[in-house]
Amino acid sequence: MSERPKVWVSQPLFDDIVARLHDHFDVVQVPEVSEHGPAAIATALREVDGALVTLNERVGAAEIAAAAKLRAVCNVGVGYNNLDVPALRARGIVATNTPDVLTDTTADFGFALMMAAARRVTEAERHLRAGQWQGWNFKGLLGADLHGSTLGILGMGRIGQGIARRASGFDMRVLYHNRSRLPADIERACKAEYVDFDTLFAQVDHLVLVLPYSAANHHIVDAAALAKMRPTATLTNIARGGIVDEAALADALANGRLASAALDVFEGEPAVDPRLLALDNIVLTPHIASGSLATRRAMVELAVDNLIAALGAGPDAGNPPTPISTAKDAKRPGTA
Ligand code: 8YV
């Protein structure tokens, strides 16, 4: 009798969904939320045919060096900067991610953060909880409007387009910058105008970052970019922490060069720069933009479908629904 393929599930996800893997494979399930260093990942991958991983597991050339049987690495997440896709591809290992299912949930949250930064929601709540509210104050905690303002979107993929569509309900003018301009029909549907990077930073009231992270855009939002922004503007990051130079952002917020910011992602997460933690004019959330129950479940469903198919089982045997495509990856490692 031939042995069943073996798969590694790197974090506890949803047991009822992961149970579908048991129909086809022997499953090695990590029981507790865990931090896996490179050596632990290499050891886990050495034994298996496939893996379901999250953004916390970095899978590169070193981790797969001894993984002789490995055929598929399926990310639970749309961004895949934790995977070295060229290294996987060079070994014939299929890599997949979970696009689409999280687009609207993540766009909703981008809007929530932008609004919280503009209207000082978390700052006001801290003020109230700390017993500092001395009574209704006409000029207290005044913020900036979203309606009628200009929204900027850096990175106009699926999530960026979702944010643009939401902006029409707020009568916002939408400017965007992307590595390539969108087709005219999509621009029309999103009511969005393409501008260059500098114009985007200079002309918007609220800027949202939704671009994929890669070495090429590391700290693309640096002191020089922040200096182009209006001092009344807000900056929201729901992409990856490494896109923003956090020290430069802390300076800009502390010196009144920027009104406020909202970050869901951090360069050294889960560590957060103490200077950001000390500021009042910033909203900080722990990487939860895709975190509605329904969407997190849909992400796991899709990742499980991908793993089953990538290892040649189930109805889509050999054709995982959302492989990370060669063309996309050749242009840029990582996507959002
Ligand atoms: C996920 C994300 O929570 O999909 C992404 O790229 O950043 C988040 O939605 C994360 O990737 C889980 O692994």
Side-chain angles (χ1 to χ4, degrees):
M1 210 178 79
S2 67
E3 246 182 60
R4 274 159 51 106
K6 201 169 178 181
V7 299
W8 181 56
V9 180
S10 66
Q11 301 288 341
L13 299 167
F14 293 103
D15 289 347
D16 59 320
I17 304 172
V18 171
R20 294 203 282 120
L21 294 173
H22 293 270
D23 296 342
H24 308 278
F25 314 125
D26 289 339
V27 180
V28 182
Q29 168 70 66
V30 172
E32 307 283 345
V33 175
S34 309
E35 215 177 286
H36 305 290
I41 293 173
T43 303
L45 296 180
R46 199 164 52 203
E47 307 299 329
V48 297
D49 301 84
L52 212 62
V53 299
T54 71
L55 86 165
N56 287 329
E57 287 78 52
R58 158 93 199 147
V59 182
E63 289 78 14
I64 61 170
K69 295 195 298 175
L70 191 65
R71 286 183 284 142
V73 175
C74 300
N75 216 31
V76 187
V78 66
Y80 52 85
N81 55 301
N82 56 315
L83 306 182
D84 183 340
V85 176
L88 294 174
R89 188 166 295 135
R91 281 274 316 280
I93 297 167
V94 173
T96 67
N97 66 341
T98 60
D100 301 319
V101 291
L102 48 61
T103 299
D104 285 317
T105 296
T106 307
D108 284 352
F109 195 75
F111 235 89
L113 277 189
M114 174 170 57
M115 189 166 260
R119 295 298 308 274
R120 305 172 65 178
V121 173
T122 56
E123 181 186 354
E125 185 181 358
R126 282 195 302 278
H127 175 84
L128 181 151
R129 284 181 186 271
Q132 291 165 354
W133 191 26
Q134 303 294 323
W136 188 74
N137 174 356
F138 196 73
K139 288 189 177 170
L141 290 159
L142 300 183
D145 281 322
L146 248 62
H147 73 268
S149 68
T150 300
L151 167 65
I153 302 173
L154 183 61
M156 199 64 159
R158 289 165 282 230
I159 298 168
Q161 291 170 35
I163 291 172
R165 285 195 307 272
R166 281 157 178 75
S168 341
F170 285 78
D171 290 327
M172 296 172 97
R173 177 181 178 214
V174 180
L175 305 181
Y176 79 95
H177 182 73
N178 197 45
R179 74 202 148 92
S180 47
R181 188 171 173 171
L182 297 178
D185 57 330
I186 299 183
E187 281 189 353
R188 264 196 308 278
C190 294
K191 298 195 177 76
E193 303 161 45
Y194 178 82
V195 292
D196 63 34
F197 184 91
D198 286 358
T199 305
L200 185 80
F201 277 71
Q203 292 197 355
V204 301
D205 298 303
H206 305 288
L207 179 59
V208 182
L209 310 177
V210 212
L211 70 168
Y213 177 69
S214 70
N217 60 31
H218 180 73
H219 286 189
I220 194 171
V221 181
D222 57 5
L226 291 167
K228 296 182 209 305
M229 293 181 73
R230 295 175 173 170
T232 49
T234 74
L235 175 75
T236 296
N237 187 8
I238 55 168
R240 286 292 181 267
I243 289 167
V244 176
D245 178 342
E246 290 172 354
L249 177 63
D251 285 342
L253 290 168
N255 300 336
R257 276 288 312 119
L258 191 68
S260 59
L263 305 180
D264 185 50
V265 286
F266 304 88
E267 190 165 359
E269 58 186 61
V272 179
D273 185 328
R275 287 189 59 209
L276 296 178
L277 288 170
L279 288 165
D280 270 331
N281 52 345
I282 189 164
V283 179
L284 303 166
T285 52
H287 204 145
I288 57 167
S290 69
S292 74
L293 176 61
T295 288
R296 286 279 165 85
R297 286 183 62 84
M299 291 164 70
V300 179
E301 292 278 11
L302 180 52
V304 164
D305 286 343
N306 275 322
L307 185 52
I308 292 171
L311 293 182
D316 300 322
N319 288 306
T322 52
I324 294 169
S325 83
T326 316
K328 201 168 50 178
D329 185 62
K331 285 194 200 121
R332 45 166 189 163
T335 190

